[in-house]
Amino acid sequence: MDHHPRNASDRTFNVTILPNAEAASAAVADKILSRVRAKPAAVLGLATGQTPRRVYAKLIDAVANGEISFAHATTFNLDEYCGLTCSHADSFAAYMHRELFDKAGFDQHKINLIDGAAADEKAEADRYARLLVQHTVDLQLLGIGTNGHIGFNEPGSSSMSRVRVVELSEETQAANRPTLIELDQVPRHAITMGIADILDAREIVILATGQAKAESVYRSLREAPDDTCPASHLAGHGNVHWILDEAAANLL
């Protein structure tokens, strides 16, 4: 079912609330599949973490069933931990290859990832920023942190922010700790697309599931945009689709 909540400025949002995480993930996967069917050479902005895993599994199934080809698609990842090589099991590069790229027929030359092991992190952020400028993301997939972060844009991030090195909050480090495979601690720094980079996408799809995300979803949709809740800045974009399960939507 679709709902259209409004924030403090009475802005209408495109929000779909589905019974559970499985249904919400299927709806997101369908949006990505539709975009790539309409434009096989689409540029996709991709996220990592627990939330998109079900989405990527459904994309892999669609490839296996002969329903789609990603061979012509270009991808950009949102972020990467600093200090990890692309082959490190806890890097987002390795996550993407494990969870999607290696099983879904993506062209390795069209995959754009941040080098977390770059000796000069600022130079690497600048390199990635230059790459982004040469493309327009057709569909950007996002999750949302319990503190409202998108990508690794933590509370305090400006809507004008661009690719940069950031320090991760204690809350984000704690939230990501259960996902670690080899590391004992979450790296303290990362390189992330900025909020302005995210807002440059033609379409944004944000997936939120679970009770833990309910407060940040509420703040993003019902309160005026504010740097203390980075996802609230999505209100400034004209083509954002929020896809939620009932748990994440229960404060709306």
Side-chain angles (χ1 to χ4, degrees):
M1 55 182 170
D2 285 334
H3 293 251
H4 302 281
R6 298 174 183 274
N7 73 354
S9 60
D10 204 37
R11 187 187 300 273
T12 301
F13 292 93
N14 186 356
V15 181
T16 300
I17 302 171
L18 293 160
N20 51 50
E22 191 69 24
S25 300
V28 171
D30 285 345
K31 281 197 159 292
I32 296 170
L33 294 171
S34 294
R35 173 63 76 162
V36 175
R37 286 190 187 108
K39 183 182 179 182
V43 180
L44 304 175
L46 300 176
T48 55
Q50 297 280 43
T51 304
R53 275 199 166 100
R54 290 184 183 90
V55 175
Y56 296 153
K58 293 177 187 305
L59 298 183
I60 290 167
D61 287 345
V63 171
N65 294 333
E67 300 168 19
I68 195 78
S69 170
F70 290 105
H72 301 291
T74 295
T75 70
F76 283 88
N77 256 61
L78 273 170
D79 43 28
E80 180 60 273
Y81 290 130
C82 289
L84 300 188
T85 64
C86 62
S87 60
H88 192 290
D90 288 314
S91 73
F92 291 154
Y95 168 104
M96 291 305 306
H97 281 283
R98 195 167 57 236
E99 300 290 335
L100 180 65
F101 294 151
D102 292 350
K103 302 170 188 172
F106 282 82
D107 182 341
Q108 300 296 316
H109 298 98
K110 295 180 181 294
I111 294 170
N112 294 287
L113 297 163
I114 298 166
D115 179 7
D120 187 332
E121 294 164 356
K122 171 70 164 60
E124 174 60 10
D126 291 344
R127 179 196 71 83
Y128 204 64
R130 288 193 299 273
L131 266 181
L132 272 175
V133 167
Q134 297 168 27
H135 298 79
T136 299
V137 172
D138 292 298
L139 187 151
Q140 175 66 58
L141 173 62
L142 296 176
I144 182 172
T146 54
N147 61 3
H149 75 242
I150 47 177
F152 272 141
N153 294 283
E154 298 280 26
S157 297
S158 161
S159 62
M160 305 299 290
S161 58
R162 294 284 178 183
V163 184
R164 68 204 186 283
V165 181
V166 295
E167 183 172 356
L168 303 183
S169 69
E170 291 291 337
E171 186 171 348
T172 296
Q173 290 178 61
N176 286 14
R177 201 164 290 129
T179 68
L180 296 177
I181 298 171
E182 293 181 0
L183 293 176
D184 295 324
Q185 295 293 327
V186 173
R188 288 186 59 199
H189 294 88
I191 297 173
T192 186
M193 281 190 203
I195 295 174
D197 300 308
I198 291 168
L199 294 175
D200 282 342
R202 291 190 172 98
E203 178 182 8
I204 297 170
V205 177
I206 181 163
L207 172 63
T209 59
Q211 173 66 35
K213 304 299 177 69
E215 184 178 351
S216 58
V217 167
Y218 176 88
R219 291 190 64 195
S220 301
L221 290 169
R222 293 294 179 97
E223 297 179 2
D226 186 271
D227 289 356
T228 61
C229 181
S232 68
H233 288 304
L234 297 176
H237 192 285
N239 189 17
V240 181
H241 196 148
W242 289 76
I243 298 181
L244 315 171
D245 69 359
E246 289 181 356
N250 75 354
L251 296 180
L252 297 178

